[in-house]
């Protein structure tokens, strides 16, 4: 399933695009954005440097494509049968991204670099737009099941869930206590369900 | 009131600490963390470089103190008489911080630099710990008024509110539509009030 998805989403690109994307994020996690070079990616992936440049003319463009295509950030939206179950899986994915290497090194490096590079900031925006589009079926099914009102601001629900994890882990730098995921989902879902 | 608070919170430091802190954040907003130097702060604030080094031995230490003491990030917790009113003011403060210069330049520079400097990351953690301590009376009064259960995870409420703004503005890089603050506060408050 994951391979099929990558196959579909990599409709344009050189033959070894998967290896290039994976090597890009490996090197980012190891060396940070400063230390990431197209030369290094070429070496690691065994692909000619000029081939990479032909498809992605800059380090920022390559990283943008890698964020969406690399296996390290692979993402399959859940379908557990209930909105609460799906949101717990989604929030757990964010928590894992922020607390488990190499994904956490990638997330922190990308965020730091995006604050200094307007070009990379655009790719970060595209990455999050891609994610929210992949998450949308979770909310569509919840509305179809009658678990959420049709006019619910579903992006706000994801912003609340993911935001709580980002603030706790990245800004406050506090550990996530046991039960963080279920308590956070319960609070946000209660808030979304009650109509005042 | 603001001056009194700064007076209290600046219990140790050289005579012109306020000018030093303000100059530090001015320079950070203008030049980023890379371009921030103690020499530059000395020039801007009119304080001898050796005096600054005596109190803050590194750029990270100086910036840590400035985050809490400078006027640009000055913060007085609200007391509107209701929890919803107080939380709307608090979230509005976060939104202003993230969308209005120079505060937004400061926030983005600090966040980016903290991802690369473990020393600065500690000071960012201290800044957020200071903020949540200043915000705590808002929640204590709400519990006293019976608006929240005694065992409410009040830090989670702030993480949800602030997190939604950070994700929307910094990660998704989307504009905050009108009504974002009141809708977000209403959702979180409904979630916190309902006990399942």
């Amino acid at each position: 399933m994951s391979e099929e998805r990558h196959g579909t989403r990599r409709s344009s690109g050189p033959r070894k695009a998967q290896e290039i994307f994976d090597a890009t994020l490996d090197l980012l996690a190891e060396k940070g954005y400063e230390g990431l070079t197209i030369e290094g990616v070429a070496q690691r992936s065994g692909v000619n440097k000029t081939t990479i440049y032909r498809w992605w003319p800059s380090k920022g463009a390559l990283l943008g494509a890698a964020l969406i295509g690399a296996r390290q950030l692979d993402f399959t939206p859940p379908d557990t049968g209930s909105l609460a179950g799906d949101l717990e899986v989604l929030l757990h994915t964010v928590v894992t991204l922020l607390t488990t290497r190499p994904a956490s090194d990638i997330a922190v490096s990308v965020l730091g670099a995006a604050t200094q590079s307007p070009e990379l900031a655009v790719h970060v925006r595209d990455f999050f737009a891609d994610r929210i589009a992949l998450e949308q079926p979770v909310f569509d099914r919840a509305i179809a099941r009658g678990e959420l009102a049709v006019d619910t601001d579903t992006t706000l629900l994801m912003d609340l869930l993911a935001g709580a994890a980002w603030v706790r882990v990245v800004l406050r730098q506090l550990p996530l206590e046991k039960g963080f995921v279920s308590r956070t989902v319960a609070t946000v879902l209660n808030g979304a369900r009650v109509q005042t």
Side-chain angles (χ1 to χ4, degrees), chain A:
Chain A
M1 180 169 185
S2 175
E3 289 212 346
E4 193 187 355
R5 187 188 132 212
H6 273 111
T8 313
R9 284 154 65 82
R10 217 181 49 217
S11 53
S12 70
R15 248 183 338 122
K16 292 181 72 177
Q18 188 66 65
E19 286 80 358
I20 296 169
F21 293 156
D22 295 354
T24 301
L25 293 201
D26 276 349
L27 285 171
L28 179 75
E30 287 167 24
K31 298 170 189 287
Y33 189 65
E34 289 297 311
L36 176 68
T37 61
I38 290 194
E39 193 132 29
V41 173
Q43 244 170 28
R44 180 75 61 108
S45 63
V47 174
N48 200 295
K49 196 171 70 172
T50 54
T51 305
I52 300 179
Y53 272 114
R54 201 178 310 138
W55 287 92
W56 301 283
S58 71
K59 182 165 88 165
L62 174 60
L63 180 53
L67 288 176
I68 290 178
R71 273 182 281 237
Q72 293 94 326
L73 298 180
D74 196 17
F75 172 74
T76 306
D79 185 5
T80 64
S82 79
L83 178 57
D86 285 356
L87 294 185
E88 290 195 7
V89 174
L90 286 179
L91 181 52
H92 194 80
T93 304
V94 175
V95 165
T96 303
L97 172 77
L98 294 177
T99 58
T100 312
R101 295 182 148 184
S104 57
D105 292 326
I106 293 168
V108 165
S109 291
V110 169
L111 181 66
T115 65
Q116 301 189 314
S117 158
E119 186 205 349
L120 187 57
V122 169
H123 295 299
V124 168
R125 194 190 62 198
D126 291 345
F127 169 76
F128 282 100
D130 181 66
R131 278 289 158 111
I132 200 87
L134 289 174
E135 290 156 355
Q136 192 55 42
V138 163
F139 296 104
D140 293 343
R141 286 194 305 266
I143 289 171
R145 283 189 300 252
E147 292 184 276
L148 284 177
V150 177
D151 63 349
T152 306
D153 181 348
T154 57
T155 301
L156 176 60
L157 303 192
M158 278 313 301
D159 290 351
L160 288 164
L161 294 174
W166 276 85
V167 168
R168 190 68 66 102
V169 175
V170 180
L171 303 185
R172 293 201 204 285
Q173 300 165 57
L174 292 175
L176 291 168
E177 63 269 38
K178 244 179 122 89
F180 172 83
V181 165
S182 58
R183 187 142 27 96
T184 304
V185 168
T187 301
V188 168
L189 266 192
N190 283 332
R193 279 174 182 148
V194 174
Q195 304 295 322
T196 49

